[in-house]
Amino acid sequence: MTDNQSVISGEFDRSGRYDAGLKSLARSLQLTFLFLLLGIIGTLIYFFSGAGYFSVEPQQAVIVTRFGRIVGTYTAGGHWFLPYPVNQFIRVQTSQQLLEIDFASGGSGGDALEPGRDNYLLTGDANIVHSSWTVAYRVANPEKYYTTLLTPQFPVEHGRITPDDVFTDADGMSSTRGPVTFLRNLFRRAVITVTGASPVNSILYAGQGAFSEAVRREFTALLAAADCGIAVENVGLNRIYPPVRTKAAFDEVTAADNTRSTLRNEAEANRVELENEARSAAAAVIADAETYRMRVRARSEAEKTYFLRILEQYRRSPDTVPMALYTAMLHDLAAAVTEGDKFVLGTRSGKKQLWMKLNPELKKSAAAEAGEGK
């Protein structure tokens, strides 16, 4: 440096402020570098430790994607991967979820039904009914659920299930799209299909259970065809009813059906009672007939045995047996006659004669004799 430069420099920085500024700038740069170094070290520590760790909460599944490609699905435990932007962790709710679907009228009770405003169903015999349903489902295959449906990028965010997206079409109509909207429309299709093939009587009265089961089977088949990883837990028919304007007519039909059922039950009870009485009477007649048959048969057998014995004796002694039978008959006849109606005559001459009244007068009762005395 020449003398002139030294003089100029000395004159320029005579107060020393230029040197102090350089020193301050150097210290600032050093601090900035230190902070950047600490930030880089902290980022690296976080990047290789906590940022890539996740634990699977109960009734949830975590899908891990690496640069947008699925590398695994985890349903339990804790896991570590390189964090974003290398990997992303997508949580999917796997617990049971409920979906309410209504086919109800949106107008007042006296208004006519209006397509586009009111929800209703047409039965197979061209009747209108309303209904409300509760569908219980769960995500059985989180990976299929996430890749086949219009699922939000993060189905579970901040501990809450993300609702379906709202979009507006070219005509300015707003609607939603997503897994819940898909399930709702698929279930509505199942209900409309089954209702259109069923008569109103079986839907409203006789076969509500069969109707609900048919809707569940149709909805399950549609989900299986969609292959979207969702399983049906239960389909509940909360309520089904006719339009308000026709409710009175349907109530009359219900009352008539109840009356018919009551009369039919009473007739069935009478039929059973009469059948039981007839069976009891028939059993008694059969028992009496069997008793009479056994008695007649026993008597016939006894008479047969007696006749054969007499026949055998007659063959041995043809003259003696008739006299013995005659004597036995007289003995029985005399024993049957009372003492006042038989007499023995001729005891003195040595010959005895027995006289009997064969048709004695009947004795009068004490009450009859008392009446004649009066």
Side-chain angles (χ1 to χ4, degrees):
M1 183 182 294
T2 62
D3 293 338
N4 292 333
Q5 290 176 341
S6 299
V7 172
I8 294 173
S9 178
E11 291 177 356
F12 179 78
D13 195 26
R14 185 175 298 171
S15 63
R17 287 180 297 176
Y18 181 75
D19 187 45
L22 290 176
K23 292 179 180 180
S24 176
L25 178 61
R27 283 196 300 269
S28 298
L29 292 174
Q30 289 175 355
L31 290 175
T32 302
F33 178 77
L34 180 61
F35 286 143
L36 288 175
L37 181 61
L38 292 176
I40 292 172
I41 294 173
T43 302
L44 290 174
I45 293 174
Y46 178 73
F47 189 82
F48 288 101
S49 60
Y53 176 80
F54 66 88
S55 61
V56 183
E57 297 181 3
Q59 297 182 340
Q60 282 189 359
V62 176
I63 301 173
V64 180
T65 63
R66 181 172 301 154
F67 300 116
R69 177 179 296 179
I70 295 176
V71 296
T73 302
Y74 302 90
T75 57
H79 308 273
W80 184 90
F81 289 87
L82 290 175
Y84 182 83
V86 178
N87 296 301
Q88 276 189 310
F89 312 126
I90 302 164
R91 296 184 179 272
V92 176
Q93 195 76 16
T94 58
S95 61
Q96 186 184 84
Q97 301 179 50
L98 298 179
L99 185 63
E100 302 288 340
I101 300 99
D102 290 330
F103 294 87
S105 172
S108 61
D111 294 340
L113 295 176
E114 179 181 334
R117 181 198 67 182
D118 300 307
N119 293 319
Y120 53 86
L121 297 165
L122 285 176
T123 64
D125 48 4
N127 283 283
I128 294 176
V129 293
H130 302 287
S131 63
S132 62
W133 303 79
T134 299
V135 180
Y137 68 94
R138 64 180 179 85
V139 178
N141 190 326
E143 189 171 324
K144 278 191 176 181
Y145 169 78
Y146 186 73
T147 55
T148 57
L149 300 180
L150 291 173
T151 310
Q153 184 177 4
F154 296 100
V156 178
E157 193 171 12
H158 305 298
R160 299 180 61 183
I161 299 176
T162 306
D164 288 354
D165 296 330
V166 179
F167 74 99
T168 304
D169 59 14
D171 297 328
M173 299 293 294
S174 297
S175 59
T176 59
R177 58 184 178 185
V180 175
T181 303
F182 170 77
L183 290 175
R184 188 184 301 276
N185 292 337
L186 204 65
F187 184 77
R188 291 174 66 87
R189 175 182 171 184
V191 175
I192 292 171
T193 300
V194 175
T195 306
S198 306
V200 67
N201 185 54
S202 64
I203 294 175
L204 288 179
Y205 308 112
Q208 285 192 16
F211 172 64
S212 177
E213 177 62 21
V215 171
R216 187 196 66 79
R217 289 196 304 268
E218 180 68 17
F219 183 48
T220 302
L222 292 175
L223 277 178
D227 194 20
C228 56
I230 293 177
V232 180
E233 295 284 326
N234 184 43
V235 173
L237 176 59
N238 301 328
R239 186 187 177 196
I240 187 165
Y241 54 96
V244 176
R245 286 191 172 187
T246 60
K247 188 175 184 303
F250 277 95
D251 290 341
E252 292 178 359
V253 173
T254 304
D257 186 70
N258 293 335
T259 302
R260 181 189 65 178
S261 299
T262 301
L263 295 176
R264 179 177 292 176
N265 292 335
E266 291 178 356
E268 181 66 18
N270 292 334
R271 182 187 68 80
V272 172
E273 183 179 358
L274 291 176
E275 284 186 355
N276 293 335
E277 292 178 356
R279 289 193 183 97
S280 300
V285 171
I286 292 174
D288 292 342
E290 182 66 18
T291 302
Y292 177 75
R293 183 186 68 82
M294 295 177 64
R295 185 171 63 249
V296 170
R297 183 174 181 178
R299 184 169 63 246
S300 299
E301 292 290 338
E303 290 179 354
K304 173 185 175 182
T305 303
Y306 176 74
F307 176 77
L308 292 176
R309 188 171 61 249
I310 295 298
L311 179 61
E312 183 180 358
Q313 293 177 359
Y314 176 79
R315 288 173 178 173
R316 294 176 180 176
S317 178
D319 299 331
T320 306
V321 170
M323 183 58 66
L325 292 176
Y326 177 74
T327 304
M329 181 191 67
L330 292 178
H331 179 270
D332 294 339
L333 182 62
V337 177
T338 59
E339 291 294 333
D341 295 330
K342 59 184 178 181
F343 308 94
V344 179
L345 302 176
T347 55
R348 293 182 178 180
S349 60
K351 294 182 179 180
K352 296 183 180 181
Q353 295 182 353
L354 179 63
W355 293 75
M356 294 178 292
K357 291 183 179 181
L358 297 180
N359 52 347
E361 295 181 359
L362 298 177
K363 293 184 177 180
K364 296 182 180 180
S365 62
E369 290 179 355
E372 289 179 358
K374 292 180 180 181

